Amino acid sequence: MFPSGQFSGEVWAGLWWLTFSTGTSYAKSSCALEVQDIVIQITWTIGQLAARTGLPVKTVRYYSDIGLLPVAERSAGGHRRYRPEALEQLHLVQRLRALDTPISTITQLASGERSLGDLITDEMSLVRSRLAELHWRQATLEALDNCSAQERLRRLEVLSRVQRLPDAQDRLARAWGQTIPASVPARLADAITAQAVPELPENPAAEVVLAYAELHALTRHQDFPLYWACPNVRDKASLYSELLDTSELAADTVAGGVPPQPGEALDHFSRACARSRGEDDTPGFRTFMGAQLHGTIPLFRRYWQHVATITAAQRPNLGITHCWLVEALASRQQAGPAPAR
C-alpha cells in the first residue's frame, strides 16, 4: 500500500471526544492504551469516507474495487468498513489525481511497484519534454509568421522536416556519419560531429529553429558530401587531423575580425592539403587549391553560420575558421584562372 504516515488532524481530533455507534464517549483523560485501542477500532462505511473527502460514493467504491483502499472488515450486513489509514490513502489519491496522475500509475504506487519519489522524477521528465515540444512549436510558428507569403511557403517546407526533434537530431548525425570518410578515426569524426550537430536550446528563438531546419536542407544538397569526401586525397585521416589543428590555430584571428589573409595558419593549411595529395606546397598548388575549394565554400559557410546561430558561441566554430582559410587561399588566385592538373 501507500507509504505509511501520521493520521490526519481529522482522525486525531477524535482523541478528544470519540463517539461510536454505541453512543459511548471517551474524554481526553483516558489513558494512552485505552485511546490507542479506540483509534484502532475506528471504521467507516463508504458513505462516511465519501462525506469526509467530498468524493462521490461511486468513486470511492471504484477506488476500493481496484485495490487502492484497504478494507478492514465487513459489517454483519456485509457492508465494507474502512480503518483510518483508508482515509489517509484516499486523501493521497485525491492529491495525485489533482495533478492528473493516471489511475494506473496510482495503482503502481499502491502495489509498491513504484515509489512516490520515482513518480515525481518521471513526471518532471515528462513535463520538461512537453515544454520543450511546446517551445519548439511556438518558435516554429513565429518563424512562419514574420515573413512574406512566398518565404512562408519555403520555410514551411524546411521547418516541417524538423518537428520531431529526437528523430531530426538522429537524421542530422547520420548525415554527417555518411559524409565523413570511413578512414577518418572515430575520435576525429566525433570531434567534427560534435560541432556540426549542435545541441539545441530548451527555449529556442524563431531564428534558431529556422537555422536548424536550414542545416537539414543543406545536408541534402548534392554538393554537400562532395566537399568532405576528398576524392583525390590519399591520407584522409591525417588531413582531417591537421585541418582541425589548423582551424584551432586560426580561431583567434578569425574571432578578431581579421579578413582572410596570408599567415602562419594559412601556411599550415596549405601544407596539410599538399601533403595529403602527395604534392609540394608551391604557389601553383595554392592557386589550384584555391580555385578547387572556392566554389563550394558558400554552401559550406552557410551551414556553419547556421550552427553559430544555434549555439550563440563567441568563439568561431571549426567550419567558420575553415572557410576563412579557404578564402585566404582563394584570394591568391583572383588574377587569373587556375592551371589544369
Side-chain angles (χ1 to χ4, degrees):
M1 281 312 204
F2 296 104
S4 61
Q6 298 295 320
F7 292 143
S8 67
E10 180 180 0
V11 175
W12 285 116
L15 293 179
W16 291 88
W17 288 98
L18 299 172
T19 303
F20 296 91
S21 58
T22 59
T24 304
S25 296
Y26 291 81
K28 61 180 180 180
S29 59
S30 301
C31 68
L33 291 177
E34 184 181 13
V35 170
Q36 181 180 8
D37 183 60
I38 293 168
V39 173
I40 291 174
Q41 294 181 51
I42 295 175
T43 59
W44 292 307
T45 65
I46 283 183
Q48 290 171 325
L49 281 181
R52 282 169 168 77
T53 59
L55 291 171
V57 171
K58 66 178 182 179
T59 300
V60 178
R61 180 176 289 109
Y62 169 68
Y63 289 159
S64 180
D65 289 342
I66 64 176
L68 294 184
L69 303 178
V71 178
E73 58 188 45
R74 288 185 178 270
S75 66
H79 299 293
R80 285 176 280 196
R81 307 286 300 186
Y82 300 89
R83 293 189 185 278
E85 57 265 28
L87 178 62
E88 288 295 315
Q89 293 180 194
L90 192 53
H91 280 315
L92 181 57
V93 172
Q94 282 183 290
R95 293 158 190 158
L96 290 172
R97 291 296 292 148
L99 297 178
D100 291 329
T101 305
I103 289 294
S104 59
T105 300
I106 299 176
T107 302
Q108 291 177 331
L109 293 177
S111 66
E113 294 179 44
R114 300 173 68 183
S115 69
L116 186 56
D118 291 338
L119 168 64
I120 293 171
T121 299
D122 293 344
E123 286 296 306
M124 284 292 292
S125 177
L126 180 60
V127 168
R128 290 191 185 99
S129 177
R130 288 176 177 173
L131 282 175
E133 291 176 1
L134 289 174
H135 286 319
W136 190 265
R137 181 172 177 79
Q138 178 184 6
T140 297
L141 294 174
E142 290 172 354
L144 291 170
D145 182 52
N146 189 24
C147 60
S148 66
Q150 183 175 0
E151 174 63 8
R152 183 174 294 122
L153 290 175
R154 188 198 72 82
R155 291 185 181 186
L156 180 60
E157 179 183 359
V158 296
L159 288 166
S160 65
R161 299 176 182 270
V162 294
Q163 292 308 300
R164 297 182 181 276
L165 288 185
D167 293 340
Q169 281 288 77
D170 289 343
R171 289 200 309 274
L172 193 59
R174 285 198 301 272
W176 277 92
Q178 295 167 358
T179 298
I180 298 174
S183 60
V184 175
R187 173 182 59 83
L188 297 178
D190 290 343
I192 295 171
T193 304
Q195 291 197 44
V197 184
E199 292 292 329
L200 301 173
E202 292 184 359
N203 190 4
E207 58 267 23
V208 168
V209 174
L210 184 58
Y212 183 70
E214 299 289 6
L215 294 185
H216 283 259
L218 288 171
T219 58
R220 294 193 301 274
H221 194 285
Q222 61 180 5
D223 292 337
F224 187 81
L226 297 179
Y227 188 88
W228 292 88
C230 308
N232 298 316
V233 172
R234 300 173 183 176
D235 187 356
K236 294 179 175 60
S238 296
L239 174 63
Y240 269 66
S241 178
E242 292 195 73
L243 290 182
L244 288 175
D245 292 341
T246 304
S247 292
E248 183 63 28
L249 183 63
D252 290 337
T253 302
V254 178
V258 178
Q261 58 186 259
E264 180 186 1
L266 179 60
D267 291 341
H268 190 120
F269 176 74
S270 184
R271 287 195 298 268
C273 291
R275 280 195 296 270
S276 69
R277 297 169 63 98
E279 300 188 36
D280 296 328
D281 180 22
T282 64
F285 175 79
R286 293 192 177 197
T287 300
F288 167 75
M289 286 302 300
Q292 289 289 304
L293 299 177
H294 191 261
T296 55
I297 278 300
L299 173 69
F300 191 78
R301 175 177 284 280
R302 286 204 304 275
Y303 186 96
W304 290 97
Q305 285 175 335
H306 290 316
V307 170
T309 297
I310 295 168
T311 62
Q314 297 299 316
R315 190 173 178 80
N317 57 52
L318 66 89
I320 294 296
T321 54
H322 181 80
C323 290
W324 187 93
L325 290 165
V326 172
E327 288 167 352
L329 192 63
S331 66
R332 298 174 55 88
Q333 55 90 36
Q334 296 301 315
R341 298 177 71 92

